Amino acid sequence: MSLFSRAPLSRRRLVKNSLGAGLLAFAGLAGPAQAEEQEILNVSYDIARELYAALNPVFAEEWKAETGNDLTIQQSHAGSSKQARAILQGLQADVVTFNQVLDVQVLADRGGFVAEDWKSALPNNASPYYSLPAFLVRGGNPKGIEDWDDLVREDVSLVFPNPKTSGNGRYTYLAAYAYALEASGGDEAAALDFVGKLLKNVAVFDTGGRGATTTFVERNIGDVLITFEAEVENIRAAEDDGAYERVVPETSLLAEFPVALVEKVAEQRGTADIGRAYLEFLYSTEAQRIIASFNNRVHDPEVVEETADQFPEVRLLTVDDVFGSWEEAQEAHFGDGGTLDQVFRN
Amino acid sequence: MLRRLLILAALAFTVIVVILPVVSIFHRAFAEGAGAYWTAVSDPETLAAIRLTIVTALIVLPLNTVFGLAAAWAIARFEFPGRRLLLIVIEAPFAVSPVVAGLCFLLIYGAYGPVGAALADYNIQLMFNLTGIVLVSAFITCPFVVREVLPVLQVTGLDEEKAALTLGANGWQMFRHIVLPNVSWGLAYGVILSAARAMGEFGAVSVVSGAIRGQTMTLPLQVELMYNDYNATGAFAAATLLTFLALATLALRGLLHHFGPKRDQAA
């Protein structure tokens, strides 16, 4: 297996953009300002390494051009719940870029590391990009998988990570539940029955997204792998042509990737302005283009138009609309005695 | 017949459990050719991970050597209250799961721990940097030297040491010319085991590292991270480096084994 190959077009754009920024920086050198060495730490989720490795140099160039200062952006990657706990215990994060809303909320609730109104501090619920649970099927789609209903057929076997241990798995569970709830006109018993059938079809329950991918791709188990669309596309790009196909269901659940400034730390380290500029940069057309090249969906109208072919249309339900809030969804479905426990027992 | 079966079983077990996995590491690392391997190994983050892993071992080993020698000597030569307790406590790291050990350090030395909070007032941070990694590595590897040196001290007994003292040697001379040569083989063995363990430790280090790329990622953490990134070549390339470090310690052990007894005779 190789590093994921990216669309050559976006690579070229990226180079062009950084060249432009480089020239600006060069012009900036003529100015009288004394260059300062600056540093921020971006604490992020486990599989975002290559994304931020592509984004950070572009921002550093821009920052240099704007302020004349040399900026180093340190990256830390691990499961986002683990990262949140590490910050509570003293990891000096200036910004967080997570894949779970609750993990940012924890930083606001305990000790005010993040502002209480962090969600409204930046556009789109402070989520510069988004994704959704989608399906990866084997080449030619032999089982004819089109939508969620096909996943509960008796002849279909599924692979997705355990919702007990994986945020990715929780999205799949909630997406299926939300779909069934809507299809049955709000009948909770029918939705419960639906996710029960879904879990019965699971061939292997891995603890995380990476394990599920290995099960599906390398051990060749299951007809459908359910994971974030970005992951689906990345896997497909890494494997032989035609070995796998992407299926995007008609309806899915919005998966947000929330970002926030860790004010408590950044203010003490005097890096709050850099952190804010960094997070705003993630919404710039330039950054959104890079983010989209990693198969995440973005909001920037220009980039949305450019990448229209890349992302099939889908209707997205949100956790807030269907379940009230993440806290409520967490308690009702994944807490002790929640629906997941009930379904597992049956 | 039985003997052959036994030998065959032992060989088969070794091949399945030890040799195959090690070979597969190299196989996977070179799956995309030597060029891809070289690129992965010379990645700045991987290089930083190697440096951190070796630096950690170089700090931890002298600490544990001095402490291990002192503790073993105290336990072997003196009766004092709490002697048995010390022996048990020193072995605790063998019994405690590394992840639990890491969490304990976090609870005490983290921002909300009793020690961590007090130090935070002076802007001193122990966790999520080299200090934290060194602390947990020292904890994890602290029993090895004691466990290797103590039996040797107990077997050699007091006679030579007493003789040295009656002949007018001071404490340091006795230690230098009698105790150290006697325990040298055990000591070296303990140090090598500590080194191997310190460089390979994952669980405890993972809890206190903070996973800052190029700064607080040790090689084992780097391997896991790259694997999670779907970067199999990078992960296995880093794994070969760990394997080389392990093989180097093994070779060192072999050398010591070869030369050790002669030196003991000379002493």
Side-chain angles (χ1 to χ4, degrees):
Chain A
M1 214 154 65
S2 72
L3 280 166
F4 294 127
S5 44
R6 306 287 173 204
L9 181 69
S10 44
R11 267 276 155 80
R12 232 177 293 136
R13 281 219 181 91
L14 201 147
V15 170
K16 206 180 83 191
N17 284 333
S18 29
L19 268 182
L23 284 175
L24 278 175
F26 186 68
L29 277 180
Q34 275 283 318
E36 220 183 296
E37 299 271 336
Q38 293 176 313
E39 191 186 294
I40 59 168
L41 173 60
N42 174 8
V43 172
S44 189
Y45 58 100
D46 36 11
I47 48 172
R49 175 184 159 239
E50 289 181 44
L51 173 61
Y52 285 100
L55 286 168
N56 289 348
V58 181
F59 178 71
E61 294 271 4
E62 273 187 17
W63 186 253
K64 172 97 179 153
E66 214 172 285
T67 64
N69 296 333
D70 289 309
L71 177 66
T72 312
I73 303 160
Q74 303 284 356
Q75 286 291 139
S76 165
H77 295 284
S80 72
S81 301
K82 183 180 174 185
Q83 296 288 59
R85 244 172 282 129
I87 292 169
L88 292 177
Q89 292 288 354
L91 179 61
Q92 299 283 295
D94 297 290
V95 296
V96 289
T97 51
F98 282 172
N99 57 355
Q100 300 284 322
V101 174
L102 280 182
D103 291 327
V104 185
Q105 193 56 45
V106 146
L107 295 177
D109 294 344
R110 296 200 202 159
F113 281 82
V114 162
E116 198 45 59
D117 63 347
W118 65 271
K119 265 189 208 170
S120 51
L122 290 158
N124 305 311
N125 276 333
S127 177
Y129 54 98
Y130 64 101
S131 197
L132 46 119
F135 314 146
L136 184 72
V137 299
R138 304 210 178 265
N141 196 358
K143 294 274 168 107
I145 307 295
E146 297 299 334
D147 213 332
W148 290 100
D149 283 325
D150 297 313
L151 302 186
V152 297
R153 280 180 1 217
E154 272 176 19
D155 64 325
V156 173
S157 82
L158 311 174
V159 175
F160 64 89
N162 193 336
K164 274 273 174 204
T165 54
S166 158
N168 186 338
R170 279 197 276 277
Y171 267 113
T172 296
Y173 182 90
L174 291 179
Y177 190 93
Y179 165 81
L181 196 65
E182 198 184 58
S184 64
D187 183 351
E188 290 195 5
L192 213 56
D193 183 54
F194 186 85
V195 288
K197 282 185 190 153
L198 189 86
L199 292 186
K200 274 208 184 74
N201 274 354
V202 173
V204 176
F205 253 148
D206 289 289
T207 50
R210 181 63 177 91
T213 304
T214 307
T215 301
F216 187 75
V217 173
E218 278 166 36
R219 292 171 62 199
N220 217 4
I221 292 174
D223 302 311
V224 187
L225 171 72
I226 316 173
T227 184
F228 293 125
E229 183 189 44
E231 291 277 295
V232 166
E233 278 304 276
N234 289 342
I235 297 164
R236 208 170 58 106
E239 300 298 321
D240 297 337
D241 261 357
Y244 302 97
E245 282 177 29
R246 166 179 61 173
V247 174
V248 176
E250 220 178 278
T251 311
S252 194
L253 191 70
L254 174 71
E256 292 178 306
F257 294 80
V259 302
L261 178 74
V262 186
E263 286 181 10
K264 198 171 173 179
V265 176
E267 245 136 52
Q268 201 191 348
R269 307 211 309 172
T271 50
D273 53 337
I274 312 176
R276 269 190 208 101
Y278 179 69
L279 295 181
E280 274 159 23
F281 158 78
L282 298 177
Y283 290 85
S284 69
T285 303
E286 196 175 357
Q288 297 260 298
R289 201 171 275 137
I290 297 171
I291 293 169
S293 77
F294 285 77
N295 295 306
N296 298 291
R297 296 190 184 220
V298 295
H299 301 280
D300 185 277
E302 201 179 308
V303 182
V304 167
E305 209 186 300
E306 285 167 12
T307 57
D309 303 343
Q310 201 181 329
F311 302 109
E313 251 183 72
V314 61
R315 197 168 55 88
L316 290 176
L317 307 167
T318 70
V319 169
D320 285 354
D321 286 347
V322 181
F323 302 98
S325 69
W326 262 109
E327 285 84 353
E328 285 166 72
Q330 177 74 23
E331 203 190 318
H333 297 281
F334 308 116
D336 278 336
T339 64
L340 183 64
D341 280 350
Q342 296 167 30
V343 168
F344 265 137
R345 221 173 291 132
N346 296 332
Chain B
M1 184 61 201
L2 183 68
R3 201 173 73 178
R4 277 196 189 153
L5 265 178
L6 265 176
I7 294 173
L8 203 69
L11 278 179
F13 187 81
T14 315
V15 167
I16 293 169
V17 175
V18 182
I19 297 177
L20 270 184
V22 173
V23 170
S24 83
I25 292 175
F26 286 89
H27 176 73
R28 286 303 296 263
F30 286 99
E32 288 174 37
Y37 175 81
W38 184 245
T39 314
V41 167
S42 54
D43 177 82
E45 282 181 6
T46 305
L47 290 179
I50 299 170
R51 201 161 37 218
L52 177 63
T53 305
I54 292 174
V55 165
T56 305
L58 288 181
I59 299 175
V60 167
L61 291 183
L63 284 179
N64 273 344
T65 307
V66 172
F67 165 78
L69 265 178
W73 202 58
I75 291 169
R77 294 289 180 260
F78 303 104
E79 272 299 338
F80 54 92
R83 178 173 163 273
R84 297 188 69 98
L85 187 71
L86 181 63
L87 196 55
I88 292 167
V89 169
I90 285 173
E91 284 198 5
F94 276 158
V96 177
S97 153
V99 177
V100 176
L103 286 174
C104 292
F105 270 82
L106 208 52
L107 287 180
I108 296 168
Y109 301 105
Y112 290 116
V115 181
L119 287 174
D121 293 342
Y122 302 97
N123 257 335
I124 299 173
Q125 195 182 355
L126 294 181
M127 295 289 109
F128 308 113
N129 53 26
L130 179 64
T131 326
I133 295 173
V134 166
L135 277 175
V136 293
S137 301
F139 174 84
I140 293 294
T141 56
C142 104
F144 288 102
V145 169
V146 182
R147 270 333 307 180
E148 294 302 326
V149 171
L150 186 57
V152 183
L153 279 176
Q154 281 167 336
V155 168
T156 52
L158 271 170
D159 295 349
E160 291 182 20
E161 290 171 32
K162 276 183 180 159
L165 289 177
T166 24
L167 290 172
N170 62 27
W172 171 247
Q173 283 172 323
M174 179 201 68
F175 177 78
R176 167 85 182 69
H177 294 286
I178 306 296
V179 180
L180 209 54
N182 276 341
V183 301
S184 61
W185 164 235
L187 180 63
Y189 194 58
V191 170
I192 285 166
L193 283 178
S194 301
R197 185 67 205 273
M199 293 187 292
E201 177 56 27
F202 177 83
V205 173
S206 154
V207 176
V208 302
S209 121
I212 305 171
R213 312 209 52 130
Q215 278 198 354
T216 64
M217 296 292 285
T218 61
L219 261 182
L221 300 187
Q222 183 78 0
V223 171
E224 195 226 11
L225 193 85
M226 289 187 143
Y227 184 69
N228 280 340
D229 272 351
Y230 300 93
N231 183 351
T233 303
F236 282 96
T240 60
L241 297 175
L242 262 181
T243 314
F244 285 135
L245 286 177
L247 291 177
T249 46
L250 274 182
L252 211 60
R253 208 199 104 184
L255 279 177
L256 279 169
H257 200 46
H258 190 71
F259 292 108
K262 283 181 209 153
R263 202 187 297 150
D264 276 357
Q265 279 161 15

